[in-house]
Amino acid sequence: MEIAYPFRTIHKGGGMPIPTSRTHEAATVCVENALCTGCGLCVSVCKDFYLRLHEGKASLAAQPIFGCVGCGHCMAICPTGAIRVRGRSLGPEDMFSLPPRGGTADFAGLHALLQRRRSVREFLPESVAQEQIQAILDAARTAPTGVPPSDVNVLVLDSLEKNRAFVRDFCEHLKTLRWLTAPWFLTLMRPFWGRANHELFSNFVRPALAAFTASMDAGRNIVTYDAPLLMYFYASPWADPADPVVAATLAMLAGEAQGLGTCMIGSIHPLIQWGGSAARFRQRYGIVHKSREGLVVLFGRPRVHYTRGIERSFASVTRP
């Protein structure tokens, strides 16, 4: 649909909008004809092929794939400010000038940060400052997503006491899942889920569940190690499964950059997705969706300090 106004063209709809938990509509694109120079930059960056040049001006293409998903690329690259996009949680007020390239981390600095990172599970009890927590969230919000707007949700537990309560409730929930690692269940499922899953459940999940619950009953937290800050990143069923993982990774690096120890915990997420007990646990902590992927990241002042790193490797690197 195209609506004409003096010196302006507004494009609405087009294609079949990609739904997320936050919106089911396409965004609206407004082109100020008086400002548009016909440079074509917006056309070149729109990978929905939603824009075209027509009579020397940017306008709506006849056959977009989905309609505007609200990535904002056209608005961000337009040198004259001729394009405005609204919808899908995006508007012109969300635009900002990029920092100069000279002010960003160079590769040597970034690589040094990555080399210094180790998974820390020994934390001092002091709280993480609210300004640092906000900085971590600000960094994580820059994460790319499969389809905008981001469907990533974050649970923030910003004290040792909140972390402990979370883990106590988690371990009580785990006690309802003992059948999941019972010998009869593992034997039954082996033909269906294959050798890798059988070995995972036999050699990791079974001893982990037993150790988690027994240790918590004894007053010792080996699930989240009494970190003073816990963030759980998860998404909605509409999201790309990688979205919360990417956001959690950026959060981890933001914590490292502020001198915090960090650790990613992958064992909590898959065990709170299915069943009535898991649903009650999610409800208690305001976890609004089941999610295909999710990660917990721990933060805090490290009690220990490493002086050496360990080289890591990929399983393979193929260059055909």
Side-chain angles (χ1 to χ4, degrees), residues 121 123-125 155-174 211-231 268 281 284-285 296 298-299 303:
R121 298 175 179 85
F123 299 98
L124 295 172
L155 170 67
V156 179
L157 302 179
D158 57 3
S159 72
L160 174 60
E161 294 73 24
K162 292 178 183 178
N163 182 349
R164 274 239 160 188
F166 179 85
V167 175
R168 279 195 298 269
D169 290 338
F170 175 67
C171 286
E172 288 303 310
H173 159 63
L174 292 185
F212 288 167
T213 54
S215 295
M216 205 63 207
D217 286 344
R220 182 166 171 250
N221 176 9
I222 63 169
V223 182
T224 59
Y225 304 99
D226 284 348
L229 174 62
L230 179 156
M231 292 186 182
I268 295 175
F281 178 86
R284 174 173 294 182
Y285 287 94
V296 167
L298 310 180
F299 304 86
R303 190 184 294 274

Side-chain angles (χ1 to χ4, degrees), residues 291-306:
S291 179
R292 285 175 287 177
E293 297 292 343
L295 274 174
V296 167
V297 187
L298 310 180
F299 304 86
R301 296 293 171 193
R303 190 184 294 274
V304 299
H305 296 276
Y306 294 91

Side-chain angles (χ1 to χ4, degrees), residues 150-208:
S150 173
D151 250 343
V152 175
N153 299 268
V154 190
L155 170 67
V156 179
L157 302 179
D158 57 3
S159 72
L160 174 60
E161 294 73 24
K162 292 178 183 178
N163 182 349
R164 274 239 160 188
F166 179 85
V167 175
R168 279 195 298 269
D169 290 338
F170 175 67
C171 286
E172 288 303 310
H173 159 63
L174 292 185
K175 292 176 182 178
T176 72
L177 301 180
R178 286 173 174 158
W179 58 270
L180 195 61
T181 57
W184 65 267
F185 182 77
L186 297 178
T187 301
L188 177 67
M189 292 301 298
R190 182 168 185 172
F192 300 100
W193 64 18
R195 177 181 175 183
N197 277 322
H198 179 79
E199 291 184 352
L200 174 68
F201 271 75
S202 298
N203 301 332
F204 174 74
V205 177
R206 179 164 56 184

Side-chain angles (χ1 to χ4, degrees), residues 61-185:
Q63 296 293 330
I65 300 175
F66 303 110
C68 181
V69 298
C71 72
H73 276 15
C74 60
M75 186 164 55
I77 204 169
C78 180
T80 63
I83 296 182
R84 298 286 185 270
V85 180
R86 288 196 179 277
R88 297 182 72 87
S89 301
L90 176 71
E93 63 276 6
D94 298 312
M95 300 295 293
F96 62 89
S97 297
L98 292 179
R101 183 168 292 277
T104 61
D106 60 15
F107 176 77
L110 175 61
H111 194 225
L113 177 69
L114 297 174
Q115 285 183 314
R116 286 188 60 83
R117 189 211 66 80
R118 291 206 62 78
S119 296
V120 172
R121 298 175 179 85
E122 299 80 20
F123 299 98
L124 295 172
E126 63 186 80
S127 299
V128 177
Q130 290 300 317
E131 305 82 61
Q132 289 183 293
I133 296 174
Q134 188 58 52
I136 292 169
L137 292 170
D138 288 344
R141 284 191 295 108
T142 70
T145 61
V147 176
S150 173
D151 250 343
V152 175
N153 299 268
V154 190
L155 170 67
V156 179
L157 302 179
D158 57 3
S159 72
L160 174 60
E161 294 73 24
K162 292 178 183 178
N163 182 349
R164 274 239 160 188
F166 179 85
V167 175
R168 279 195 298 269
D169 290 338
F170 175 67
C171 286
E172 288 303 310
H173 159 63
L174 292 185
K175 292 176 182 178
T176 72
L177 301 180
R178 286 173 174 158
W179 58 270
L180 195 61
T181 57
W184 65 267
F185 182 77

